């Protein structure tokens, strides 16, 4: 089934690109629409161009898209005639659902799961990351129109190596979809099998977002406007959402210009309880010895945090496109994209620390104890003095933001009826910013209490005697504190260029086409911490000025309905809140911003990659089958720059050293390896900066075969070797914890990143059947296996490092082979099954459902990070000439997210319900209503049972409530 040469190379005409009824909305969900033939042609020219008989292709090119059902037909046709295992979402699919970014739309596809936040963020009310087939998001590649898109995050835990959240891996390869509103989309193509002509980087698969092109609109002038109000019930606020698109092309249909803008504001309030930890009560403390040692070694809650997170998000940006048909054989396209998310927030954290209360010889003996076997389910702690069991933390990040942009130029040129070329050149960059004010206040002489309410419910905490906010203290007691102002920044940028050629053979030839091409890219990712300001240096330059004040408390407290969506009562109502503006003003008045004294070394990194790739691919076809075989060669040269602390030149009050003095540098002279640069003068300690270079070459073969068992039943087989580069945090985490023990083998040890870590490499196999049993209907099954030859996991690696812990008597400090506890290559396997079903059932009604089973495990038997064994989606829709409505439910089972303490931490099973309704007043105006998170989902994390805590113990719960959108979309 191969298209004719005429079909493949025919110049585009206005009639070939009918409009899709637009769901024009930033307000209304998404209003994107495109012609079927155009979206298919842009989808990398391989996955979206049907290898079909000419009559089928011509039929697709002339279909007038109208409504949900026609949109599904368009998506299914693109899926059916793709060369590999592919899923497609069209603009209308997105536009008729409350899909506020591209990830919202993708979660409805088989084999695709999403998370509402990355790393240790805890999750919010909008999908952020996309993963496929039981792997973590960094193993799925995201592109726009086939080229890279830079990504950065507003959350400080995702900007630097190592991160700050308990489950955070820090800076990752995965793309944040918060910056990609659904309104920019014409079509999204998800490829689950690899081909040599596709950009490497997606082990599990790739997501290619196809944007709209000016010459693809039917009318000479088109305008679309969406206006909505969004109400968040937990935040209790309503905000405006707006987007508009204007497209013009000349009468000759050879010049087109498009401008699209969006401005979307909304408020988030996330109630949470986190860092819930269980411990054994020491039998040597007063609490453990009281009442004949009744409580000794019993399990009790040693700490938890009630957190009130409030954020204002404003996403603004634009898409600018210009397309020129220079001749019937040459088309040139220029497009630019900019998206910025302003994400200012305040996070108030109320700590209850029974572990502090019972600690040491003067610890509190709990009262009102409820004992259930080995577990202390409830207790009261009558704290006194500064041995405090309660504190308040205020985090204010008034300028948190992230942004991404690209500038791209591409061309398509037909050199002859058989030979064609296409190319791309461009630049993409992104930046994430943090300006985090962090204030600690302590609550002396304050009684605390907790009551355990069940494994999947929050712990109820209380202040039995209340607390007067005016008595907050700066004294840290035994909790420690670092009031500070932190500036962090992540930068991601890439320059790229690509050229592709295709030679098509005569219809009678077994080989239908040969494709070839090359790509070059310069990529750089940086995580920096320019300053972490705090109390200024003292006059003698050997310490800090003592701060004895606090930001003023204005009388506010936690809201009365705090935690109402968590499935239980977390308590804490009446706990004081400090105004974030007061925290900022107090910090600005009291902190030093000296960039030398306040320069932290940890988490800082730069990763530079120079990538070159070339490929060749052969396509074969006959009437009832088609196949392709290809090879892609990829060479990556990497340079990783990191900081490493040194135990020398430390400043104390009486050793005579001062910050930044020549004596500091002299004391550290022997601790710096060749090629490294020493940095002194920081209150965080002295360190050196060093770069490590490495290179890697991969040969990536691929093959696919599709066979028409009948005119409705299609068999697919695909296999490929695939790769993904390591997360930046795995490469660039700061080395620390150096130790040296001659009795061990090896004697030299440390912890940190692995700058020479090789890529993730796997073999990806697919076998599937697709039965297109009726129009707009499909029943499909896919079996997949991913065998990982190299998978990044926790482990250790031998590295040549300067070990500063080696005593002088043993020749130290010295560069020696060092066993570094770091990310390391392991092996693993993900295997599973995908089932999909879509069908219009009666009248204007239709249904869809899919299910994915993914058994994804590392070599040590642990589930792969981010892997959900079971996930499914259920959907239903109705549509007539005036009214349409859709309902969708997405569910995923538990998935491992990393270590919390010494235990494996999991994200519990969860599901989300969304709905939309549209009423067409006339051909120009449509009323829209949408609802997100209608079932008020709770995000729960838990630790798996271990020897110390023999049950699955909840570690965190979060809830962000529901969101409702009401508005208009206008189309001209």
């Amino acid at each position: 089934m191969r298209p004719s040469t005429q079909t493949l190379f025919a110049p585009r005409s206005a009639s070939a690109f009918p409009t899709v009824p637009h769901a024009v909305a930033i307000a209304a969900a998404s209003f994107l629409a495109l012609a079927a033939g155009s979206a298919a042609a842009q989808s990398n020219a391989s996955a979206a161009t049907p290898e079909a008989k000419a009559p089928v292709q011509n039929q697709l090119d002339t279909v007038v898209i109208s409504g949900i059902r026609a949109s599904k037909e368009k998506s299914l046709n693109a899926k059916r005639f793709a060369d590999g295992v592919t899923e497609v979402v069209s603009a209308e699919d997105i536009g008729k659902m409350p899909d506020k970014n591209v990830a919202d739309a993708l979660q409805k596809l088989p084999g695709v799961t999403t998370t509402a936040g990355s790393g240790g963020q805890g999750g919010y009310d909008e999908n952020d990351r996309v993963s496929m087939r039981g792997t973590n998001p960094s193993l799925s590649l995201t592109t726009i129109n086939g080229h890279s898109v830079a990504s950065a995050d507003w959350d400080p835990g995702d900007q630097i190596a190592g991160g700050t959240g308990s489950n955070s891996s820090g800076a990752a390869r995965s793309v944040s979809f918060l910056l990609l509103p659904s309104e920019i989309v014409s079509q999204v193509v998800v490829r689950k099998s690899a081909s040599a002509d596709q950009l490497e980087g997606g082990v599990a698969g790739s997501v290619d977002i196809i944007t709209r092109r000016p010459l693809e609109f039917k009318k000479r002038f088109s305008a679309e406007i969406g206006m909505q109000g969004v109400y968040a019930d937990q935040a209790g606020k309503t905000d405006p959402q707006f987007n508009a698109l204007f497209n013009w092309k000349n009468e000759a249909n050879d010049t087109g210009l498009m401008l699209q803008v969006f401005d979307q504001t909304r408020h988030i309030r996330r109630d949470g309880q986190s860092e819930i930890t269980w411990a054994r009560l020491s039998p040597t403390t007063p609490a453990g010895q009281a009442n004949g040692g009744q409580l000794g070694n019993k399990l009790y809650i040693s700490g938890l945090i009630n957190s009130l997170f409030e954020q204002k998000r404003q996403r603004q940006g634009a898409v600018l496109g210009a397309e020129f048909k220079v001749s019937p054989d040459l088309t040139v396209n220029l497009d630019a994209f900019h998206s910025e998310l302003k994400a200012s927030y305040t996070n108030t954290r109320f700590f209850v620390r029974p572990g502090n209360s019972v600690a040491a010889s003067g610890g509190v003996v709990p009262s009102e104890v409820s004992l259930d076997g080995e577990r202390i389910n409830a207790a009261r702690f009558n704290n006194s003095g500064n041995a405090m069991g309660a504190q308040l933390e205020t985090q204010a990040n008034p300028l948190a933001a992230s942004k991404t942009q690209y500038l791209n130029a591409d061309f398509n040129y037909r050199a002859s009826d058989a030979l064609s070329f296409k190319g791309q050149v461009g630049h993409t960059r992104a930046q994430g910013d943090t300006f985090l004010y962090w204030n600690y206040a302590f609550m002396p002489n304050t009684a605390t209490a907790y009551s355990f309410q069940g494994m999947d419910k929050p712990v109820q905490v209380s202040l039995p005697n209340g607390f007067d906010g005016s008595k907050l203290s700066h004294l840290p007691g035994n909790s420690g504190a670092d009031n500070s102002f932190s500036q962090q920044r992540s930068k991601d940028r890439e320059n790229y260029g690509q050229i592709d050629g295709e030679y098509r053979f005569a219809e009678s030839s077994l080989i239908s086409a040969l494709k070839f091409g090359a790509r070059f890219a310069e990529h750089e990712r940086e995580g920096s911490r320019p300053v972490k300001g705090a109390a200024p240096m003292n006059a003698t330059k050997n310490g800090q000025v003592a701060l004895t004040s606090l930001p003023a408390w204005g009388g506010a407290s936690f809201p009365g309905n705090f935690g109402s969506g968590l499935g239980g009562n977390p308590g804490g109502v009446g706990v004081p809140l400090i105004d974030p503006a007061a925290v900022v003003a107090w910090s600005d008045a009291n902190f030093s911003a000296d960039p030398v004294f306040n320069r932290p070394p940890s988490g800082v990194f730069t990763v530079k990659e120079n990538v070159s790739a070339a490929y060749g691919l052969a396509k074969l076809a006959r009437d009832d089958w088609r196949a392709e075989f290809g090879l892609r060669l990829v060479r990556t040269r990497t340079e990783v720059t990191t900081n490493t602390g040194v135990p020398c030149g430390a400043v104390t009050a009486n050793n005579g050293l001062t910050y930044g003095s020549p004596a500091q540098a002299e004391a550290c002279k022997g601790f710096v390896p060749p090629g490294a640069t020493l940095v002194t003068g920081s209150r965080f300690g002295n360190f050196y900066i060093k770069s490590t270079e490495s290179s890697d070459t991969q040969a990536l073969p691929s093959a696919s075969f599709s066979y028409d068992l009948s005119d409705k039943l299609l068999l697919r087989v695909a296999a490929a070797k695939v790769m993904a580069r390591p997360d930046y945090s795995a490469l660039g985490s700061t080395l620390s914890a150096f130790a040296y023990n001659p009795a061990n083998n090896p004697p030299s040890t440390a912890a940190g990143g692995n700058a020479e870590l090789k890529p993730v490499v796997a073999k990806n196999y697919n076998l599937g059947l697709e039965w297109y049993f009726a129009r707009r209907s499909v029943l499909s099954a896919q079996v997949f296996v991913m065998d990982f030859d190299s998978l990044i996991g926790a482990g250790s690696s031998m590295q040549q490092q300067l070990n500063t812990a080696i005593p002088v008597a043993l020749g130290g400090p010295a560069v020696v082979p060092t066993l570094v506890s770091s990310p390391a290559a392991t092996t693993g396997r993900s295997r599973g099954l995908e089932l999909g079903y879509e069908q219009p059932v009666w009248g204007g009604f239709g249904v869809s459902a899919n299910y994915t089973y993914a058994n994804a495990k590392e070599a040590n038997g642990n589930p792969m990070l981010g892997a959900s064994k079971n996930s499914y989606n259920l959907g239903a829709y109705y549509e007539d000439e005036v009214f349409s409505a859709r309902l969708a439910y997405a569910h995923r089972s538990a998935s491992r997210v990393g270590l919390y303490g010494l235990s494996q931490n999991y994200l519990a099973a969860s599901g989300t319900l969304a709905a939309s309704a549209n009423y067409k007043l006339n051909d120009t105006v449509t009323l829209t209503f949408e609802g997100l998170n209608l079932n008020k989902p709770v995000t729960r994390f838990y630790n798996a049972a271990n020897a110390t805590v023999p049950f699955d113990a909840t570690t965190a719960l979060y809830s962000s409530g529901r969101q409702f959108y009401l508005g208009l979309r206008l189309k001209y």
Side-chain angles (χ1 to χ4, degrees):
M1 300 178 65
R2 59 195 301 184
S4 68
T5 302
Q6 180 180 4
T7 300
L8 192 68
F9 291 110
R12 293 173 178 174
S13 65
S15 62
F17 301 101
T19 43
V20 180
H22 303 105
V24 82
I26 201 112
S30 326
F31 55 177
L32 298 151
L34 207 71
S38 156
Q42 290 179 55
S43 183
N44 214 17
S46 62
T49 300
E51 289 282 356
K53 295 177 182 178
V56 177
Q57 173 67 37
N58 291 338
Q59 179 186 359
L60 291 179
D61 281 349
T62 57
V63 164
V64 176
I65 303 297
S66 177
I68 296 173
R69 288 167 293 176
S71 169
K72 286 188 171 293
E73 183 170 25
K74 174 184 171 182
S75 297
L76 288 181
N77 277 326
K79 171 185 173 73
R80 180 175 185 176
F81 296 112
D83 289 322
V85 182
T86 302
E87 305 288 346
V88 179
V89 182
S90 73
E92 186 75 359
D93 285 330
I94 300 171
K96 292 293 179 70
M97 277 299 294
D99 299 320
K100 295 307 172 186
N101 67 44
V102 178
D104 289 339
L106 294 177
Q107 74 169 337
K108 303 175 183 68
L109 298 177
V112 178
T113 53
T114 59
T115 54
S118 67
Q121 291 183 7
Y124 300 98
D125 60 359
E126 183 177 4
N127 287 309
D128 184 12
R129 253 62 177 187
V130 169
S131 58
M132 298 170 64
R133 290 182 163 179
T135 62
N136 74 60
S138 291
L139 299 183
S140 298
L141 176 70
T142 299
T143 58
I144 297 182
N145 298 322
H147 63 74
S148 302
V149 56
S151 186
D153 294 276
W154 59 265
D155 190 282
D158 299 316
Q159 294 172 343
I160 59 176
T164 60
S166 59
N167 302 318
S168 178
S169 62
R173 295 270 176 181
S174 56
V175 167
S176 172
F177 282 77
L178 295 180
L179 291 166
L180 305 177
S182 56
E183 287 77 19
I184 70 171
V185 173
S186 166
Q187 193 176 63
V188 184
V189 179
V190 178
R191 299 184 180 92
K192 301 174 184 177
S193 60
S195 178
D197 59 346
Q198 295 171 14
L199 182 60
E200 75 283 346
V203 168
S206 64
V207 176
D208 192 20
I209 301 167
I210 311 299
T211 60
R212 306 169 88 175
R213 301 277 287 262
L215 295 183
E216 292 168 351
F217 286 79
K218 184 177 181 180
K219 299 178 181 178
R220 287 191 58 196
F221 177 76
S222 300
E224 304 171 10
I225 298 174
M227 298 173 288
Q228 278 186 321
V230 53
Y231 173 75
D233 66 350
Q234 193 153 288
K237 294 189 177 181
T238 301
D239 296 293
Q241 306 252 306
F242 171 82
N243 82 274
L245 179 147
F246 304 97
N247 190 83
W248 170 89
K249 63 180 182 178
N250 64 357
E251 189 171 356
N253 196 40
D254 58 17
T255 301
L257 300 173
M258 183 186 73
L259 173 65
Q260 187 173 3
V261 295
F262 51 89
D263 188 341
Q264 304 162 319
T265 300
R266 62 194 191 88
H267 281 79
I268 296 171
R269 183 184 127 187
R270 186 190 69 181
D271 295 354
Q273 190 173 87
S274 62
E275 299 186 31
I276 308 167
T277 55
W278 290 83
R280 297 278 179 182
L281 201 155
S282 171
T284 63
T285 61
Q289 295 174 346
N291 300 316
Q294 182 185 20
L295 302 183
N297 283 320
K298 293 296 190 290
L299 283 166
Y300 75 109
I301 294 175
S302 61
L304 61 84
I305 301 171
N306 279 356
S307 60
L308 174 65
F309 180 93
E310 298 174 294
Q311 185 177 46
K312 178 183 178 181
R313 292 185 182 180
Q314 184 176 20
R315 182 168 56 199
Q316 297 173 304
V319 182
L320 181 63
E323 189 174 12
F324 308 96
K325 191 179 294 181
V326 181
S327 72
D329 299 320
L330 175 63
T331 300
V332 177
N333 182 72
L334 304 173
D335 58 294
F337 170 69
H338 176 88
S339 179
E340 181 172 4
L341 180 70
K342 298 175 183 177
S344 62
Y345 69 84
T346 301
N347 191 19
T348 302
R349 291 152 50 96
F350 167 52
F351 287 72
V352 175
R353 299 186 184 276
N356 283 358
S357 299
V358 301
S361 59
V364 174
V365 175
S367 59
E368 301 177 17
V369 172
S370 173
L371 194 60
D372 180 8
E374 278 201 308
R375 194 172 60 226
I376 301 175
N377 278 350
R380 171 174 171 158
F381 306 88
N382 293 313
N383 303 296
S384 61
N386 288 330
M388 292 170 282
Q391 71 184 60
L392 193 67
E393 224 178 72
T394 306
Q395 301 172 0
N397 200 339
L399 297 176
S402 59
K403 58 186 176 183
T404 186
Q405 57 190 28
Y406 67 77
L407 179 63
N408 179 77
D410 59 70
F411 73 90
N412 282 274
Y413 175 62
R414 182 179 66 178
S416 68
D417 286 345
L419 182 63
S420 63
F421 294 93
K422 66 177 182 177
Q424 281 184 331
V425 61
H427 170 77
T428 180
R429 61 182 176 181
Q431 183 170 308
D433 289 296
T434 282
F435 297 84
L436 180 61
Y437 294 84
W438 203 318
N439 180 262
Y440 292 78
F442 298 90
M443 306 169 69
N445 302 307
T446 303
T448 61
Y450 78 78
S451 176
F452 176 67
Q453 301 182 94
M455 295 300 178
D456 59 349
K457 293 180 170 55
V459 179
Q460 185 174 3
V461 297
S462 63
L463 303 176
N465 299 328
F467 182 77
D468 183 352
S470 64
K471 295 180 180 178
L472 288 167
S473 170
H474 71 281
L475 294 173
N478 57 3
S479 297
D482 182 19
N483 292 324
S484 61
F485 160 75
S486 295
Q487 184 181 356
Q488 289 183 187
R489 178 166 293 150
S490 63
K491 290 184 178 180
D492 191 28
R493 45 190 172 265
E494 180 172 299
N495 297 314
Y496 59 86
Q498 179 169 330
I499 183 73
D500 301 273
E502 181 172 13
Y503 185 85
R504 298 195 66 85
F505 292 86
E507 187 77 18
S508 59
S509 173
L510 174 64
I511 300 177
S512 62
L514 292 176
K515 296 185 70 175
F516 50 90
R519 185 180 189 273
F520 304 91
E522 296 177 344
H523 183 238
E524 182 175 342
R525 178 65 176 253
E526 173 189 344
S528 64
R529 305 177 70 190
V531 64
K532 186 177 181 181
M537 190 189 309
N538 60 21
T540 56
K541 296 185 177 181
N542 63 356
Q544 291 178 267
V545 172
L547 298 178
T548 59
S549 63
L550 281 175
W553 176 57
S557 60
F558 270 59
N561 65 346
F562 172 78
S564 59
L566 292 175
N569 179 16
V573 174
V575 171
L577 285 178
I578 298 179
D579 187 343
V583 171
V584 171
W586 180 88
S587 302
D588 287 344
N590 288 279
F591 289 167
S592 162
D594 183 336
V596 176
F597 181 62
N598 291 296
R599 181 179 177 180
S602 63
V604 176
F605 72 93
T606 301
V607 175
K608 296 181 180 179
E609 295 167 331
N610 286 301
V611 180
S612 54
Y615 75 90
L617 183 147
K619 291 189 172 187
L620 293 77
R622 279 292 181 259
D623 287 344
D624 54 359
W625 64 267
R626 58 190 186 274
E628 65 175 43
F629 302 91
L631 177 67
R632 187 177 186 90
L633 298 175
V634 183
R635 179 173 175 80
T636 306
R637 291 176 300 230
T638 306
E639 179 185 286
V640 180
T641 303
T642 57
N643 300 336
T644 303
V646 290
C648 56
V651 176
T652 67
N654 51 20
N655 69 357
L657 292 177
T658 58
Y659 289 106
S661 66
Q664 264 197 314
E666 183 65 24
C668 293
K669 197 160 44 175
F671 290 79
V672 183
T677 302
L678 177 67
V679 178
T680 63
S682 169
R683 67 185 178 94
F684 298 98
N686 303 315
F687 60 94
Y688 62 81
I689 306 171
K690 186 175 182 294
S691 297
T692 303
E693 297 181 356
S694 63
S695 64
D696 177 78
T697 301
Q698 296 288 336
L700 307 175
S702 61
S704 67
F705 175 77
S706 300
Y707 180 66
D708 291 311
L709 298 171
S710 71
D711 61 347
K712 295 182 179 180
L713 187 61
L714 178 66
L715 169 71
R716 292 191 192 275
V717 182
K721 183 180 178 182
V722 289
M723 63 168 283
R725 298 177 181 89
D727 277 337
Y728 307 109
S729 191
L731 294 167
S733 288
T734 303
L735 286 172
S736 61
F738 280 95
Y740 189 82
N741 186 346
N744 294 336
N745 184 23
S748 177
T749 58
N754 185 352
E756 298 185 80
L757 202 57
K758 297 299 182 182
V760 174
V761 177
K763 298 179 182 70
N764 192 332
Y765 305 99
N766 294 272
L767 172 64
L769 285 171
E770 299 167 11
W771 181 29
Y772 297 90
F773 58 90
R775 187 179 181 187
R776 298 190 297 273
S777 303
V778 65
L779 184 63
S780 63
Q782 288 283 340
V783 177
F784 63 87
V785 176
M786 281 180 279
D787 277 325
F788 288 85
D789 301 326
S790 174
L791 178 68
I792 310 302
S796 60
S797 58
M798 290 300 298
Q799 304 178 26
Q800 288 290 124
Q801 294 292 345
L802 174 70
N803 191 332
T804 55
I806 301 176
V808 175
L810 296 179
V815 177
V816 295
T818 302
L819 184 65
V820 180
S821 297
S822 64
T826 182
T827 57
R829 170 179 282 192
S830 176
R831 63 182 187 274
L833 171 70
E834 295 174 355
L835 302 174
Y837 165 69
E838 283 191 32
Q839 185 180 15
V841 289
W842 174 75
F845 290 95
V847 294
S848 63
N850 60 68
Y851 167 77
T852 301
Y853 170 81
N855 186 10
K857 291 186 177 180
E858 298 176 356
N860 59 13
N862 282 330
M864 288 184 189
L865 291 175
S868 291
K869 183 171 284 189
N870 298 284
S871 60
Y872 63 86
N873 297 278
L874 303 172
Y877 66 84
Y878 171 80
E879 183 178 50
D880 59 30
E881 294 298 320
V882 175
F883 177 75
S884 65
R886 293 182 73 173
L887 189 68
Y889 180 77
H891 177 88
R892 61 177 294 174
S893 61
S895 60
R896 186 170 72 97
V897 296
L899 285 174
Y900 180 69
L902 299 177
S903 299
Q904 294 293 339
N905 197 243
Y906 289 80
L907 172 63
S910 63
T912 58
L913 179 66
S916 68
N918 300 271
Y919 184 79
K920 189 175 180 180
L921 296 177
N922 53 48
D923 289 343
T924 301
V925 183
T926 300
L927 291 174
T928 66
F929 172 79
E930 300 155 335
L932 281 173
N933 300 304
L934 296 177
N935 57 327
K936 294 186 177 182
V938 175
T939 301
R940 184 174 74 93
F941 295 88
Y942 66 90
N943 271 357
N946 56 46
T948 302
V949 184
F951 51 83
D952 291 346
T954 294
T955 58
L957 302 106
Y958 301 99
S959 170
S960 298
R962 299 169 297 184
Q963 301 77 42
F964 301 96
Y965 296 77
L966 179 64
L968 297 171
R969 63 173 178 266
L970 315 174
K971 184 183 74 171
Y972 170 77

